[in-house]
Amino acid sequence: LSPTNYTDNGDGTVTDNVTGLIWQKCSAGQSGANCATGSAGTYTWANAKTYCAGLVLGGKTWRLPERNELLTLVDYTRTNPAINTGVFPAMAANYWSNTVVAGVPSDSWFVYFNNGGSLSVNRYQTDAYRVRCVAP
């Protein structure tokens, strides 16, 4: 699945018209129309979950996306990054998901947006990656 039909809601959120999910347009730590203000911060897994739960944006209730949800943003026709940068500008490589690796509760999955791969964190949820929150 590589949806290409998005609506920029003009309030810092983007609606995926295929899945119906609403996404934070900018990575955590960035703002502005083209996400040019600030820089994409890095967060541990626990801090990423806390950030999303506390996000005040567009009147929505936010959470850290599951791996399969985050993978819907991947555009497999692109690389470096493998996402539509006209919709989601200023992308970085690794983004946390809320999905824990089966049988290894101390590891979680992230999506590598340079090529769209989904990888498990080598060992620790204390590693620092980028965050983009989702609202159902």
Side-chain angles (χ1 to χ4, degrees):
L1 181 64
S2 186
T4 57
N5 188 2
Y6 299 99
T7 300
D8 186 329
N9 300 314
D11 61 357
T13 69
V14 172
T15 299
D16 179 330
N17 297 313
V18 174
T19 65
L21 295 170
I22 299 171
W23 292 93
Q24 180 182 14
K25 180 175 181 170
C26 300
S27 300
Q30 296 175 310
S31 62
N34 292 317
C35 305
T37 303
S39 60
T42 57
Y43 298 77
T44 64
W45 186 70
N47 288 344
K49 291 175 63 159
T50 299
Y51 169 83
C52 288
L55 182 62
V56 177
L57 184 65
K60 304 292 181 195
T61 300
W62 297 92
R63 62 177 171 76
L64 194 62
E66 298 300 329
R67 179 180 61 164
N68 290 343
E69 293 171 330
L70 198 55
L71 284 169
T72 66
L73 297 180
V74 174
D75 183 338
Y76 293 102
T77 67
R78 302 169 188 253
T79 59
N80 294 321
I83 193 168
N84 184 332
T85 56
V87 177
F88 299 101
M91 282 295 295
N94 301 327
Y95 283 77
W96 277 120
S97 85
N98 191 48
T99 307
V100 175
V101 176
V104 189
S106 62
D107 288 3
S108 292
W109 292 87
F110 66 88
V111 172
Y112 179 66
F113 276 97
N114 280 359
N115 66 8
S118 173
L119 306 168
S120 64
V121 173
N122 291 336
R123 289 185 297 262
Y124 305 114
Q125 292 170 345
T126 54
D127 290 343
Y129 293 110
R130 305 294 196 285
V131 177
R132 172 166 280 115
C133 306
V134 67

